[in-house]
């Protein structure tokens, strides 16, 4: 790569983030201003509050990222921004800021797909002179995204040539974790809290047999709504049952067991789909990303899976699992090198359409 220095901006959901990345890999700074405090009392992200907070945070966060990187605006080679998918009002803040910066600096503007950037996040490093990286050893790669908004598997021929093989037909896995956490009375955001509870001593992941979704025999799609409903019935009892059974009291031990059982079923559903997707695909690596790659059980399972299949595993460092702008700047640098740049007509888009899926 060219050693380009890219400023990345990310505002697709409830994190305002900016980062400076050199050579597509080396993170010089990564600043994330979380809005957790704002959305906590609603136990979910409120779009209108999110976009207002982005407006307040965007300039301080960009300034902080430049200062932390020790890079003035004059040294930036391009501005990359997550422009899809996400909450439209939130995306617009980042896209507008990126356009203004790119225009005033007279530098290329690069629209980056947030989900693909998650796939890229395992490449990021803070090591200033990292070991050389043999890209040919990665592709074709099997990709897995597990986040609050997305759960999907991909075939990657390169970082910019990506085909979606399957995805969730209802809830995303992170959303299911968050809703399960609400049922168990855990604090927002629920995924990490549920993970911690499931790791507590004495948590029995076999205490309750929750459904592991497989769908059709060859399906690479996911479904988490059945698992979520099964947990709800464990907590609240089955509605309209012919012979109603009082649910067991939600004691600390019962909560731990339910958390561990839920986590086992959710992770196993992912493993089964990876197993199917990997079959006969001639993959050299497994590249993963999204908030749920922070999950302790999934991380262990992915390492075991990749080891057993002889795949090189790219698992993001913990700080790049959740939404961040380093992944946007990193993939932005790859797009820059491939000539995939945009102009000021770049739009914020709430979804990634199927038509856009195969290449970019
Ligand atoms: O990728 P991300 O930051 O946002 C989206 O693009 O959606 O993912 C956030 C999701 C949330 O649902 C959060 O609960 C989940 O990732 N998450 C976890 C863990 N850490 C974050 N889920 C399970 N276990 C965790 N340790
Ligand atoms: Zn994300």
């Amino acid at each position: 790569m060219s050693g380009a220095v890219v400023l990345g901006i990310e505002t697709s959901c409830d994190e305002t983030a900016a980062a400076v990345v050199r050579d597509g890999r080396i993170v010089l700074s990564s600043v994330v201003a979380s809005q957790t405090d704002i959305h906590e009392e609603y136990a979910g992200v409120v779009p209108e509050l999110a976009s207002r907070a982005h407006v307040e945070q965007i300039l301080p966060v960009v300034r902080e990222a430049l200062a932390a990187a020790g890079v003035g605006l004059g040294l930036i080679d391009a501005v990359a921004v997550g422009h899809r998918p996400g909450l439209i009002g939130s995306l617009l803040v980042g896209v507008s800021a990126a356009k203004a910066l790119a225009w005033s600096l007279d530098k290329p503007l690069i629209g980056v797909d947030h989900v693909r950037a998650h796939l890229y996040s395992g490449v990021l490093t803070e090591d200033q002179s990292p070991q050389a990286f043999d890209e040919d050893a990665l592709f074709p790669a099997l990709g897995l995204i597990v986040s609050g908004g997305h759960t999907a598997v991909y075939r990657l021929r390169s970082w910019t040539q990506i085909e979606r093989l399957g995805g969730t037909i209802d809830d995303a896995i992170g959303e299911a974790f968050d809703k399960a956490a609400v049922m168990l009375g855990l604090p927002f955001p629920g995924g990490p809290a549920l993970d911690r509870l499931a790791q507590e001593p004495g948590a029995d992941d076999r205490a309750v047999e929750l459904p592991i979704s497989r769908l059709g025999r060859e399906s690479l799609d996911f479904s988490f709504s059945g698992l979520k409903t099964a947990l709800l019935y464990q907590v609240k009892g089955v509605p309209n049952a012919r012979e109603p059974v009082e649910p067991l009291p939600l004691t600390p031990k019962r909560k731990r067991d339910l958390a561990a059982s839920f986590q086992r079923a959710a992770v196993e559903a992912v493993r089964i789909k990876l197993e199917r997707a990997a079959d006969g695909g001639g993959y050299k690596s497994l590249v993963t990303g999204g908030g749920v790659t922070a999950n302790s059980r999934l991380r262990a399972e992915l390492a075991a899976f990749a080891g057993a299949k002889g795949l090189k595993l790219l698992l993001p460092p913990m700080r790049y699992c959740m939404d961040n702008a380093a992944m946007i700047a990193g993939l932005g640098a790859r797009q820059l090198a491939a000539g995939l740049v945009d102009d000021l007509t770049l739009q914020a888009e709430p979804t990634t359409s199927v038509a856009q899926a195969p290449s970019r």
Side-chain angles (χ1 to χ4, degrees):
M1 287 208 44
S2 58
V5 176
V6 176
L7 170 66
I9 293 178
E10 155 62 34
T11 61
S12 67
C13 189
D14 61 338
E15 258 104 29
T16 317
V20 180
V21 172
R22 179 156 47 86
D23 208 13
R25 261 189 96 190
I26 303 167
V27 183
L28 303 182
S29 68
S30 175
V31 177
V32 180
S34 170
Q35 302 176 5
T36 302
D37 300 355
I38 299 172
H39 304 290
E40 199 168 14
E41 65 173 298
Y42 306 98
V45 177
V46 183
E48 181 61 17
L49 296 180
S51 40
R52 284 183 202 194
H54 286 307
V55 171
E56 285 168 15
Q57 291 293 332
I58 188 73
L59 289 179
V61 164
V62 168
R63 276 196 201 105
E64 194 183 330
L66 291 166
V71 166
L73 275 175
L75 290 178
I76 296 294
D77 295 308
V79 182
V81 60
H83 76 118
R84 70 169 192 231
L87 301 170
I88 189 71
S90 292
L91 288 166
L92 273 170
V93 179
V95 169
S96 308
K99 281 183 182 177
L101 278 167
W103 176 78
S104 60
L105 297 171
D106 196 19
K107 295 291 177 191
L109 172 71
I110 305 160
V112 175
D113 183 291
H114 176 95
V115 178
R116 290 169 190 200
H118 270 304
L119 279 175
Y120 187 80
S121 54
V123 172
L124 300 170
T125 176
E126 279 139 33
D127 190 338
Q128 293 300 299
S129 36
Q131 273 194 341
F133 197 76
D134 181 7
E135 294 257 319
D136 290 341
L138 289 181
F139 301 108
L142 176 61
L144 171 74
I145 284 295
V146 279
S147 76
H150 302 270
T151 306
V153 282
Y154 301 85
R155 181 181 178 86
L156 290 85
R157 280 184 288 138
S158 72
W159 289 119
T160 52
Q161 295 169 295
I162 302 175
E163 179 193 354
R164 189 174 184 273
L165 303 176
T168 184
I169 58 169
D170 42 54
D171 290 357
I173 185 171
E175 192 182 349
F177 265 94
D178 292 340
K179 287 178 181 160
V182 171
M183 292 174 209
L184 297 177
L186 303 177
F188 174 82
L194 193 146
D195 187 4
R196 281 193 297 277
L197 188 61
Q199 287 182 72
E200 281 185 11
D204 178 3
D205 66 3
R206 297 271 171 179
V208 184
E209 284 298 320
L210 294 170
I212 297 166
S213 131
R214 289 176 167 77
L215 300 175
R217 200 180 298 165
E218 292 181 5
S219 171
L220 296 180
D221 288 333
F222 298 84
S223 167
F224 291 100
S225 68
L227 170 60
K228 193 182 66 182
T229 308
L231 181 72
L232 183 69
Y233 289 178
Q234 289 288 332
V235 174
K236 299 254 188 220
V238 182
N240 308 320
R242 230 183 272 162
E243 288 166 32
V245 182
E246 247 333 273
L248 296 173
L250 214 47
T251 59
K253 162 75 177 141
R254 170 91 169 142
K255 276 200 204 182
R256 280 198 293 274
D257 287 352
L258 286 174
S261 301
F262 175 90
Q263 188 158 285
R264 181 176 73 83
V267 169
E268 181 59 8
V270 173
R271 198 197 56 77
I272 289 169
K273 293 304 153 73
L274 283 180
E275 191 86 51
R276 285 182 188 174
D279 239 13
Y283 295 109
K284 295 186 183 162
S285 67
L286 173 62
V287 305
T288 66
V292 185
T293 51
N295 183 269
S296 57
R297 184 167 189 140
L298 183 64
R299 288 181 88 84
E301 204 65 63
L302 290 173
F305 176 83
K309 298 280 175 195
L311 299 171
K312 180 176 168 60
L313 175 65
L314 286 195
L315 193 57
M318 288 299 269
R319 57 182 306 218
Y320 302 121
C321 290
M322 304 291 276
D323 287 350
N324 66 85
M327 65 184 191
I328 301 286
L331 184 55
R334 299 292 164 151
Q335 292 183 201
L336 181 68
L340 298 170
V341 298
D342 292 279
D343 59 28
L344 294 177
T345 62
L346 178 73
Q347 297 290 313
E349 297 168 29
T351 55
T352 303
S353 74
V354 174
Q356 287 156 336
S359 61
R360 73 179 293 251

